Amino acid sequence: MSMTVNGVEIDDTFAEAFGMSGTGIIITADSLKWARIAATVATGFGTSVIGCGAECGIDKELSPEETPDGRPGVRILIFGFSPDALVPQIRNRIGQCVLTSPGSACYAGLQASQSLGLGKAPRYFGDGYQTAKKLGQSRYWRVPVMDGEFVIEEETGVTTEAVGGGNMLILGCDRAGLLETAEAAVDAIAKVDDVITPFPGGIVRSGSKVGAKYSGMFASTNHAFCPTLRGTVKSELGPDTLAVLEIVIDGLTSKAVADAMRAGLKAVTDTGAKRGVTRITAGNYGGKLGQHHYHLKELI
């Protein structure tokens, strides 16, 4: 049975998520502004592994005391189907978006038993003028560039215990209030370490289902949750629902995803029905595809 919290109905259902591989990278610069610019560009076009090759986002900002070179920084997370799938993503995103950014440097953002090349490819931009220095157990490359040098650690850690696809769908009778509530949920999730919400602003308006009528399409609109199709298809929406927004969560661990979902759900239910939110549900495949199940009622 569903339950009601502060005027919001919580479906008795679960979010079904999948095992993934994930890595972390620390990007520093002379200012937090430029570290964030590099991080934002490096994680662009990273909403879904299906269409983008990886799911990417900013995990958190770092103070100078928290970074290897004592400068402001940002930690990004990148998720893919496997460690091998992450290799070209790291090479292209760091080479095209961080190496090119003024004052940037790049370091391992995850300590793990398995590692991936971080600076192994970008170092060749130095055209033979690059140099290496080993400090402790880590090797760093110094690549000459026009504003000085680009410093990049040779490797970063990778985990195969990551999780992609934790989710919640928020339904409402007021589009503006629904968006404000979803934004509050994303802000709450951002305070949880080791997770990202990879879609624009952390929010998805084009929820999808597996498969489509057209060949070559891996996914298509989740018609059961489209308000304009109510009355035309078998709908999951009541007559008062005007819009649905989804939040998708990826994390380095299953616990991190559960903690993030808990924080997001609390933000929604704390707001309650006063912004027009009527119901929270989640996307799943009947438990047949994803290894990780996050029951909404257990996270409230």
Side-chain angles (χ1 to χ4, degrees), residues 265-282:
L265 288 167
K266 184 177 187 301
V268 176
T269 54
D270 280 354
T271 299
K274 63 184 179 181
R275 285 184 177 167
V277 174
T278 56
R279 178 181 157 207
I280 305 173
T281 188

Side-chain angles (χ1 to χ4, degrees), residues 110-116 155-161:
L110 177 65
Q111 301 300 318
S113 58
Q114 189 174 351
S115 62
L116 288 174
E155 295 181 332
T156 188
V158 62
T159 178
T160 56
E161 300 298 319

Side-chain angles (χ1 to χ4, degrees), residues 127-179:
D127 198 30
Y129 298 102
Q130 71 272 18
T131 59
K133 187 175 183 65
K134 192 167 184 180
L135 297 175
Q137 298 300 311
S138 298
R139 183 182 300 276
Y140 300 86
W141 287 95
R142 301 168 64 182
V143 181
V145 289
M146 293 193 300
D147 74 346
E149 62 182 15
F150 174 58
V151 177
I152 183 167
E153 195 164 349
E154 186 168 76
E155 295 181 332
T156 188
V158 62
T159 178
T160 56
E161 300 298 319
V163 176
N167 69 84
M168 64 184 76
L169 285 82
I170 311 167
L171 289 67
C173 58
D174 180 276
R175 289 182 72 248
L178 176 63
L179 180 57

Side-chain angles (χ1 to χ4, degrees), residues 3-126:
M3 61 188 293
T4 301
V5 179
N6 202 16
V8 179
E9 182 182 2
I10 313 296
D11 283 6
D12 184 9
T13 190
F14 60 92
E16 187 170 350
F18 301 84
M20 297 185 79
S21 294
T23 188
I25 298 170
I26 293 172
I27 299 169
T28 66
D30 296 330
S31 67
L32 181 59
K33 170 187 173 181
W34 277 102
R36 179 167 273 279
I37 287 173
T40 300
V41 177
T43 55
F45 190 61
T47 57
S48 169
V49 287
I50 295 174
C52 307
E55 298 181 7
C56 316
I58 292 174
D59 175 22
K60 58 182 175 180
E61 296 179 350
L62 300 171
S63 69
E65 293 73 28
E66 297 175 292
T67 65
D69 61 10
R71 301 189 302 167
V74 173
R75 185 200 195 202
I76 66 171
L77 302 180
I78 303 177
F79 296 88
F81 286 128
S82 68
D84 287 345
L86 290 173
V87 171
Q89 293 291 326
I90 294 173
R91 179 188 66 231
N92 295 338
R93 292 173 185 275
I94 300 307
Q96 297 300 312
C97 306
V98 184
L99 168 65
T100 57
S101 184
S104 66
C106 212
Y107 304 97
L110 177 65
Q111 301 300 318
S113 58
Q114 189 174 351
S115 62
L116 288 174
L118 177 59
K120 289 183 177 181
R123 63 174 170 151
Y124 290 117
F125 184 76

